[in-house]
Amino acid sequence: MIASAIRSGSRYALGTRVLHWLAAVLVFGALVVGFVLANSLADYAVLLSVHKVLGALVFVVFVIRVLNRLTDRGPALPATVGRVERIAVVGSELAMYALLLAQPLLGWAMLSASGVPVVLGGALRLPPVVPVNAELFGLLRDAHSVVAYALVAMIAAHVSAVLWHTLTLRDGMLRRMTFGGDEPLELRRRT
């Protein structure tokens, strides 16, 4: 009974895990569509429409994630995570959340500056957040691109760190955010 309580306490709450993976799928989709959009002339209007909806969903999910993170502190980090790495974990999490909240807002502002109305799904029309201005559009487009590349780098570092902990250190880092059995992989192998 006690071991079970300890194992179940080594995971994030179910709602936090669902939000994490929902956000991961939305962010991945928005990045892929955004990179295709930036490098393609074919189906531009369709890609832009999909990208705008994904961006809006990313923003909404990350606002919810921030609120959830304030109430669900999550399980303690494994003992294999040292003091300096703990600081890096917290700092990178804060930076990723900031970028993922800023990116959709930059996209919205960029479209507003271009004069393109922000219509989501053909039904919801968002008001412009900045005046139409070609110079401002250029600055916002560059910022939107820089943040996209920064997000790709941060996500790659995040996934790499989790895989390193999971495959090399075998400390259960990935299990904290996954679904399925509560028994650690190490215990399953022994039985």
Side-chain angles (χ1 to χ4, degrees), residues 41-164:
L41 295 177
D43 301 321
Y44 184 84
V46 172
L47 290 170
L48 181 60
S49 178
V50 170
H51 188 67
K52 289 188 291 187
V53 169
L54 288 172
L57 289 171
V58 165
F59 183 76
V60 169
V61 168
F62 267 89
V63 167
I64 294 168
R65 282 202 71 192
V66 167
L67 296 172
N68 176 260
R69 194 70 174 104
L70 294 173
T71 60
D72 179 16
R73 303 301 287 160
L77 290 168
T80 55
V81 178
R83 187 169 98 26
V84 172
E85 191 177 2
R86 286 177 195 276
I87 293 168
V89 166
V90 171
S92 65
E93 182 180 358
L94 291 172
M96 197 174 320
Y97 274 52
L99 290 175
L100 286 164
L101 289 169
Q103 184 68 336
L105 295 175
L106 284 169
W108 184 4
M110 177 182 72
L111 289 173
S112 295
S114 75
V116 172
V118 181
V119 180
L120 304 175
L124 178 62
R125 185 182 184 111
L126 300 179
V129 290
V130 298
V132 175
N133 181 306
E135 187 176 325
L136 180 58
F137 167 77
L139 290 171
L140 291 167
R141 181 169 185 199
D142 289 346
H144 195 65
S145 295
V146 167
V147 171
Y149 286 112
L151 281 169
V152 168
M154 290 193 77
I155 291 166
H158 175 73
V159 170
S160 297
V162 170
L163 288 175
W164 180 66

